[in-house]
Amino acid sequence: MSDLAFLRERIESYADYTDDAARRLSDEQIRAYAGEALARLRERLAPGGAEGQALEALLLRCQFVEQTKARVFDATAVDAAQIAATAAADRDVVNIADRADTVAAADLGVLLVQLAAAFERRWPAAGGTLEVPGR
């Protein structure tokens, strides 16, 4: 199954990245999907310490678009390869988020690191881990 078909199966109206409006919507959809899974995880495990802080940071990341990366992505002529790479990263986010409901407390740190890394891979048109020239 293609990444896009998988995402549309999991998120009914997944928009993809073909134009600016679709990019913003699909970004919001993926962040909401992951955020809901993380909120359930927080309620179920109530982690403290470093893992609790990492979880809260990821929840915050799910609430807001990463403006610098989104602006670069919107300003870039996005090609099919970049759209495919973003869909693959979105699929990773969904797959990792799906594990949040069953992850054991002992494995929470690994899941949070994997999810943070998947979020970084979501911006291939902006260079993945973005560095803006002149900043």
Side-chain angles (χ1 to χ4, degrees):
M1 172 184 301
S2 75
D3 293 328
L4 187 57
F6 170 85
L7 290 164
R8 287 197 171 133
E9 183 178 279
R10 304 292 287 144
I11 302 170
E12 185 177 323
S13 59
Y14 178 79
D16 77 37
Y17 289 87
T18 54
D19 61 47
D20 290 350
R23 290 177 200 170
R24 285 187 285 278
L25 179 57
S26 57
D27 173 62
E28 182 179 319
Q29 291 168 320
I30 293 298
R31 288 184 294 106
Y33 190 93
E36 289 170 8
L38 290 172
R40 290 189 306 270
L41 183 148
R42 178 177 59 187
E43 188 173 308
R44 182 173 63 85
L45 294 180
E51 289 177 340
Q53 290 175 350
L55 175 58
E56 293 303 320
L58 276 171
L59 278 164
L60 188 62
R61 190 173 194 174
C62 290
Q63 293 175 13
F64 302 100
V65 67
E66 296 180 58
Q67 290 293 332
T68 304
K69 293 177 184 180
R71 281 195 307 270
V72 171
F73 196 69
D74 283 348
T76 303
V78 180
D79 62 27
Q82 291 166 320
I83 291 171
T86 304
D90 283 354
R91 184 178 188 158
D92 287 346
V93 168
V94 168
N95 279 327
I96 296 165
D98 283 346
R99 294 181 8 232
D101 288 331
T102 59
V103 69
D107 299 323
L108 176 58
V110 171
L111 181 126
L112 296 175
V113 167
Q114 290 172 342
L115 188 56
F119 268 110
E120 280 303 311
R121 290 189 301 273
R122 292 189 65 238
W123 298 99
T129 304
L130 178 71
E131 294 191 24
V132 178
R135 286 196 176 183

